[in-house]
Amino acid sequence: MLELGFFIKKVIGFWLMPLSICVALLTVAVILFWLNKYQKLAKVFASLSLVLLIVFSWQPTSRTLLAPIENAYPTFNGSAVDYIVVLGNEVIGDKRLSPIEQLSSSARARLMEGLRIAKKQPNAHLIVSGYAGKNNQSCAEVYAAAAITLGIQPSRITVLSEPKDTHDEAIAVKQLVDNAPVALVTSASHMARAAYYFQQASVNTIPAPTFYLAKDKPYMDLKFNADGLYQSERAVHELIGQLWQRLKN
């Protein structure tokens, strides 16, 4: 039942993304067009798809959506912690690549922030998390291998390969750390949702957001591009996640 709920959540989340909506609308428009029926309705669907694609890929729109989510918590303040928790993210289990190269850009940023804190606090223990999914290695295992490659002693690392999502990660971490102070490392867009779950689990966390996408720029960027679309998708993904979080509780 838990596996089915996890799958349903992923499917619904996918089809509520801006690009998925645009593709769905365009697909319906093309089908109606080739059936030679409902030509006006086909034009409406096609036009709506184009408008949404332009709006969501336009930098002013995407930054307006994402910046408030990313700025919900400040960057790590350097407080002393006993543990550093790096939350899981996407990995590509390609054995030809080094562990670092197997991490997605956001996963790599999370690990680098965790290692930056670990370097400044040599007594802090590193906890890496994330399940395998369809890969031959879990995200946590790849994190650990990359961390060791970059000089972290294996004895400083604990691997959590079972948690499938942030809720599971919070519960697993609580069992390990009890009330000890923890630096919680995840993407800035994900931090609000992650902090909520860890607070619910009574973990003594200090946020350490990283991988900022909606950065301040010294000029007005009016372009629409794939970066803008990605930012909008991150914002919508997190807003849906926060809504789901509240509904569950």
Side-chain angles (χ1 to χ4, degrees):
M1 183 63 68
L2 290 176
E3 290 286 346
L4 179 60
F6 180 78
F7 174 75
I8 291 174
K9 180 179 71 172
K10 292 295 184 182
V11 170
I12 293 175
F14 172 80
W15 284 108
L16 289 178
M17 290 299 99
L19 182 59
S20 299
I21 293 173
C22 291
V23 170
L25 288 170
L26 186 58
T27 300
V28 172
V30 170
I31 292 172
L32 292 175
F33 176 79
W34 283 104
L35 289 175
N36 289 319
K37 292 183 178 181
Y38 310 110
Q39 296 294 303
K40 290 185 178 180
L41 188 59
K43 292 177 182 178
V44 170
F45 278 114
S47 300
L48 184 57
S49 175
L50 178 60
V51 169
L52 289 177
L53 183 61
I54 292 173
V55 169
F56 281 118
S57 61
W58 194 42
Q59 287 284 339
T61 302
S62 62
R63 193 183 182 287
T64 299
L65 288 172
L66 186 58
I69 299 173
E70 288 193 333
N71 295 328
Y73 289 87
T75 54
F76 183 65
N77 59 17
S79 298
V81 294
D82 293 336
Y83 295 91
I84 304 159
V85 176
V86 180
L87 298 186
N89 200 254
E90 184 182 4
V91 297
I92 304 299
D94 189 338
K95 291 294 187 179
R96 300 173 303 163
L97 306 178
S98 71
I100 298 172
E101 288 297 323
Q102 292 182 48
L103 299 172
S104 67
S105 55
S106 51
R108 195 177 306 131
R110 294 181 188 190
L111 181 61
M112 291 302 104
E113 177 65 7
L115 297 182
R116 184 187 72 82
I117 299 170
K119 183 177 181 181
K120 291 180 176 294
Q121 303 196 31
N123 294 322
H125 194 81
L126 182 67
I127 300 175
V128 291
S129 182
Y131 80 124
K134 297 180 180 179
N135 289 310
N136 50 25
Q137 279 187 299
S138 70
C139 177
E141 290 170 326
V142 178
Y143 271 154
I148 292 169
T149 298
L150 294 171
I152 297 294
Q153 293 297 317
S155 59
R156 288 187 69 187
I157 305 172
T158 294
V159 175
L160 297 177
S161 294
E162 295 301 319
K164 290 183 172 61
D165 56 21
T166 313
H167 175 262
D168 292 346
E169 288 174 318
I171 294 172
V173 168
K174 177 61 178 178
Q175 294 173 349
L176 284 174
V177 307
D178 195 18
N179 294 318
V182 171
L184 179 60
V185 182
T186 190
S187 302
S189 61
H190 180 241
M191 182 54 76
R193 193 152 51 101
Y196 181 87
Y197 278 127
F198 275 74
Q199 289 165 6
Q200 290 291 99
S202 299
V203 181
N204 181 15
T205 54
I206 301 173
T210 187
F211 195 59
Y212 288 85
L213 298 175
K215 299 176 182 178
D216 287 332
K217 296 181 179 179
Y219 57 89
M220 181 69 73
D221 193 344
L222 298 178
K223 294 183 294 185
F224 58 91
N225 52 28
D227 289 340
L229 182 60
Y230 180 60
Q231 291 174 22
S232 293
E233 294 229 322
R234 288 306 312 160
V236 172
H237 176 83
E238 288 305 318
L239 290 171
I240 292 172
Q242 290 177 25
L243 177 60
W244 173 259
Q245 195 175 53
R246 300 307 191 270
L247 290 175
K248 283 177 63 179
N249 290 293

